[in-house]
Amino acid sequence: MNKPLSEKSWQYRQLNAVTPGLDALSDALIELVAAGEPIVAGTADLQYSNGLSKFHAQHPDRFVQFGISEQNMVSSAAGMAAVGMKPYVATFASFLALLCCEQIRMDVAYSKLPVRLIGHHAGISLGFYGTSHHATEDLAIMRSIANLTVIAPADGNQLMEVIKASNDYPHPIYIRIQRGRDPEVYAQRQPFTIGKAISHHTGTDLTIIATGSTVHPALEATRALRAAGASVGFLDMATVKPIDRNAILEAAAQSPQILTVEEHNVLGGLGGAVAEVLAGEGLPVKLTRHGIYDEYSLIAPPTHLYAHYELDAKGIEKRATRLLEGRA
Amino acid sequence: MTQPGKIETTSGRNSLRPTDEEIAFLKDRAKFCRLETIRLIEIAKVGHYTSVFSAAELFSALYYDAMRLRRGEPTWQDRDRFMMGKGHAAVGLFPILADLDFIDRDLLDGYTRLGSPLGDHPDMTKVPGIDFSSGSIGHALSAGCGMALAGRMMDKDFFTFVMIGDGELQEGQVWEAALFGAHNKLGRLIGIIDRNGYQLDGSVDDIIGVEPIVEKWQAFGWETHVVDGHDVAAVATLLRSLRADGARTRPVMIVAQTVKGKGVSYMETEPGWHLGYLDPSDAARAVAEIEAMEI
């Protein structure tokens, strides 16, 4: 056998099977099964990408491998929910939210079935895999589907709490996550309330609002700005729909400027949701929506892309500094 | 006469073939389905007569004979499930649901009117007895796979019946479900293709041909059966025999050979009646034809 000799050579499965952050999804579902819940988890040929391989190994009778048939997966999950199970199905956000949009609308949301849709590797986190694998539209699409709740947890601990909170939640949910390699925002698990923003700081110059993958870098940027003397507030808007109106209104009352940061098109996602609240209230607040500016991402490793699009901590800090200095 | 929707309709029979009395009753219920469809579409002023007429005997054999149902208990956990990819035939199903006391009969009189739960396509959140919403062609067999698989996971013994149109076979998702159902050995999943030969734009074979249907499903690993979809005795006998086998390890696809518009002569012969409306005077003539029909 002519196998690779270098220890640096790797196989896809091995690489992903040892990524600790990937365990969150499986661990949370394993907890629910242990609590006697009729959980079933499914994926479309991506169990090593989303970490459901761990759940699969532990509960083979509650795991469904759908193969590369995402639409069948979503409709089947709806069927499972219709007869009393609690399905959590996961695939790349690009395929789930775009390819399966109609199945989600008809079979899950319109039918009000408690299916949990896990869109992973969202945003541009698949880097040089390119546009087919990027999802910078999913928040906008999922947010416009009636009956559907949309949540983007910031890290593994928050994801576990979101899964826990989802167990008895009566509506279908789209849960947007990354690659399972997210830096920790929350050192411990804290009870998660769907629809409630988490305030980390309040500020009188600017409030930054982020969701999901941008919470960690935006929070880091906030801390840097505060350390430099600016009064900058920060909200983790993990639930994008229903959005926490009160938290947005409080931020608007405190600071004259709001900056939303998302790994998503600036159209229709978190920034759009915040804009709708502010405009609806007629508030004289300057809102800047930061994200991907209605374009398809370049190809590069993710960290390079985040730097290029000013979506890493430094980039967000620079973006905020320009606002604080009145330079747009 | 057999009462519709009696408990455990499929158990305890000595013979799989329905008695003459049962056959007469099933024919009568198929006729009722057609007549009510004409009445309801008169309210809406447009509807899918012919899609119901091809499936009327199938509906009758399912709801009044093969399926395990309890009259007046549309949410009974152990009931058999039915859904249809050809959701546009719901107008023929609603009268049956009312007949089985799943919904209030008065609701039929307001079919499609403002605020009615009854529209052209079935909505499970609004209509008791509708086991799954539909309207977007191609989803139902996937949902049926999910139900059958979940039933097995939960140690339930209900059967899941899914009716799909022959034009629906043009949807790619149907074939995703075909692979999935066979792979997972969903033996309590029974599909029925209403092979009436027509879709909105014309003949299925002219638009995008779907033959050979039987060989396709066999190649996908399904047990297949072909039946005259208007021979209600043959349909009921087949469904009874399939329903009686809970140990089957392959899903089943029945190809029901049907006639689109069956029961109204010009609808049977003229394409283009997929969607239509009959003025009351024409409706009366159609009713007379259906009253006189002998299948």
Side-chain angles (χ1 to χ4, degrees):
Chain A
M1 291 285 280
N2 200 10
K3 285 189 171 181
L5 299 174
S6 167
E7 285 180 5
K8 290 179 181 172
S9 299
W10 56 270
Q11 276 181 294
Y12 179 77
R13 280 186 190 191
Q14 288 165 355
L15 177 82
N16 286 284
V18 296
T19 305
L22 273 177
D23 287 347
L25 179 57
S26 277
D27 288 345
L29 293 176
I30 288 165
E31 283 179 8
L32 291 179
V33 173
E37 296 293 339
I39 301 296
V40 55
T43 190
D45 199 29
L46 285 174
Q47 65 171 327
Y48 299 103
S49 295
N50 52 40
L52 283 176
S53 49
K54 182 172 182 181
F55 181 91
H56 184 184
Q58 198 144 336
H59 294 293
D61 54 332
R62 295 291 192 87
F63 174 82
V64 185
Q65 174 59 268
F66 285 92
I68 310 169
S69 304
E70 294 81 4
Q71 295 167 318
N72 182 54
M73 176 172 79
V74 171
S75 299
S76 292
M80 289 193 273
V83 295
M85 296 211 73
K86 295 181 174 178
Y88 289 73
V89 292
T91 186
F92 288 151
S94 53
F95 305 147
L96 190 56
L98 282 89
L99 178 62
C100 305
C101 177
E102 207 250 351
Q103 284 77 11
I104 291 173
R105 183 183 74 118
M106 277 303 300
D107 301 341
V108 176
Y110 168 62
S111 300
K112 294 183 187 164
L113 290 167
V115 175
R116 284 69 176 96
L117 305 151
I118 320 285
H120 52 87
H121 291 70
I124 52 174
S125 64
L126 270 166
F128 53 75
Y129 289 79
T131 297
S132 61
H133 286 55
H134 293 167
T136 55
E137 309 87 353
D138 58 326
L139 288 178
I141 296 168
M142 294 294 105
R143 206 167 73 76
S144 68
I145 294 178
N147 295 344
L148 194 60
T149 291
V150 180
I151 307 175
D155 66 5
N157 278 333
Q158 196 175 51
L159 170 61
M160 291 187 75
E161 287 299 309
V162 167
I163 298 288
K164 190 175 171 189
S166 73
N167 181 48
D168 287 323
Y169 192 69
H171 309 293
I173 312 175
Y174 176 74
I175 301 171
R176 181 191 216 240
I177 59 174
Q178 308 301 312
R179 297 190 296 163
R181 304 177 195 182
D182 320 87
E184 204 169 68
V185 175
Y186 301 97
Q188 274 100 37
R189 290 174 62 174
Q190 310 170 7
F192 184 84
T193 306
I194 294 172
K196 188 99 181 107
I198 300 161
S199 176
H200 288 253
H201 300 283
T202 56
T204 54
D205 296 330
L206 170 73
T207 301
I208 297 176
I209 305 177
T211 191
S213 62
T214 53
V215 167
H216 187 272
L219 188 54
E220 208 174 292
T222 301
R223 287 173 184 150
L225 292 163
R226 290 174 68 89
S231 178
V232 178
F234 183 83
L235 282 178
D236 171 1
M237 194 65 75
T239 309
V240 177
K241 179 190 174 185
I243 201 150
D244 189 342
R245 296 176 62 85
N246 288 337
I248 295 169
L249 297 181
E250 279 172 27
Q254 285 160 359
S255 51
Q257 293 205 67
I258 289 177
L259 172 66
T260 57
V261 185
E262 60 197 304
E263 192 177 332
H264 186 273
N265 196 327
V266 293
L267 304 180
L270 172 68
V274 172
E276 287 162 20
V277 173
L278 294 175
E281 295 291 331
L283 293 173
V285 179
K286 178 175 163 53
L287 170 69
T288 302
R289 292 163 297 131
H290 184 46
I292 304 293
Y293 291 86
D294 200 25
E295 60 186 312
Y296 295 105
S297 166
L298 298 174
I299 282 173
T303 52
H304 298 214
L305 290 179
Y306 297 142
H308 177 81
Y309 289 107
E310 293 191 327
L311 285 169
D312 60 359
K314 276 187 183 162
I316 296 166
E317 186 184 341
K318 271 164 53 184
R319 191 77 191 82
T321 302
R322 291 205 294 276
L323 288 178
L324 290 166
E325 291 174 355
R327 296 188 286 122
Chain B
M1 181 170 282
T2 306
Q3 290 302 304
K6 68 175 184 177
I7 299 171
E8 311 279 336
T9 52
T10 55
S11 66
R13 287 199 181 89
N14 292 324
S15 165
L16 288 176
R17 186 174 168 82
T19 63
D20 289 347
E21 196 181 15
E22 286 170 332
I23 292 167
F25 174 70
L26 294 179
K27 284 183 177 178
D28 174 70
R29 290 300 83 188
K31 185 174 287 186
F32 159 77
C33 169
R34 288 190 174 91
L35 294 175
E36 281 291 273
T37 296
I38 291 181
R39 181 173 78 88
L40 265 56
I41 292 179
E42 223 169 314
I43 301 170
K45 301 284 191 286
V46 63
H48 293 91
Y49 299 102
T50 57
S51 306
V52 174
F53 293 174
S54 66
E57 281 74 24
L58 303 174
F59 287 155
S60 177
L62 283 163
Y63 273 85
Y64 294 101
D65 194 80
M67 285 170 67
R68 187 173 68 190
L69 301 169
R70 284 181 179 169
R71 167 181 288 280
E73 294 186 38
T75 59
W76 178 40
Q77 286 288 315
D78 292 330
R79 72 189 185 282
D80 285 349
R81 266 66 171 186
F82 174 76
M83 71 203 77
M84 43 183 184
K86 45 175 288 176
H88 51 272
V91 63
L93 196 53
F94 295 145
I96 292 172
L97 299 185
D99 196 31
L100 294 174
D101 294 333
F102 287 175
I103 60 172
D104 190 338
R105 281 153 216 254
D106 294 344
L107 284 178
L108 298 175
D109 301 336
Y111 172 67
T112 67
R113 299 303 85 186
L114 182 66
S116 170
L118 309 180
D120 192 69
H121 298 94
D123 182 340
M124 66 185 285
T125 68
K126 296 189 178 123
V127 187
I130 293 296
D131 292 319
F132 204 73
S133 305
S134 63
S136 180
I137 301 285
H139 298 196
L141 194 60
S142 293
C145 283
M147 286 187 187
L149 182 58
R152 190 166 71 202
M153 284 179 173
M154 297 187 298
D155 290 327
K156 297 279 190 183
D157 68 348
F158 64 80
F159 273 64
T160 303
F161 294 89
V162 183
M163 182 188 291
I164 60 180
D166 48 359
E168 184 166 6
L169 298 177
Q170 294 159 356
E171 284 280 9
Q173 189 179 344
V174 170
W175 301 102
E176 293 185 0
L179 288 172
F180 184 83
H183 180 87
N184 286 286
K185 302 181 169 56
L186 301 178
R188 289 173 189 268
L189 175 64
I190 313 279
I192 304 170
I193 295 168
D194 180 2
R195 179 64 169 131
N196 62 31
Y198 285 89
Q199 57 192 103
L200 191 54
D201 274 2
S203 155
V204 173
D205 293 340
D206 288 343
I207 290 171
I208 290 290
V210 295
E211 291 290 352
I213 296 179
V214 171
E215 288 82 349
K216 282 188 177 75
W217 289 92
Q218 284 175 348
F220 274 78
W222 290 52
E223 179 181 317
T224 59
H225 298 269
V226 180
V227 68
D228 175 349
H230 298 302
D231 182 343
V232 77
V235 173
T237 304
L238 173 60
L239 290 174
R240 284 182 179 190
S241 70
L242 295 170
R243 181 66 182 72
D245 181 4
R248 188 187 301 103
T249 56
R250 285 197 296 169
V252 174
M253 187 56 74
I254 299 168
V255 179
Q257 303 287 6
T258 60
V259 176
K260 192 148 180 169
K262 181 72 178 179
V264 178
S265 52
Y266 52 87
M267 288 186 183
E268 292 182 19
T269 54
E270 290 174 22
W273 275 96
H274 179 83
L275 257 179
Y277 171 65
L278 293 172
D279 181 76
S281 59
D282 287 323
R285 286 169 49 223
V287 165
E289 273 202 55
I290 291 167
E291 293 280 13
M293 78 187 278
E294 267 304 321
I295 294 180

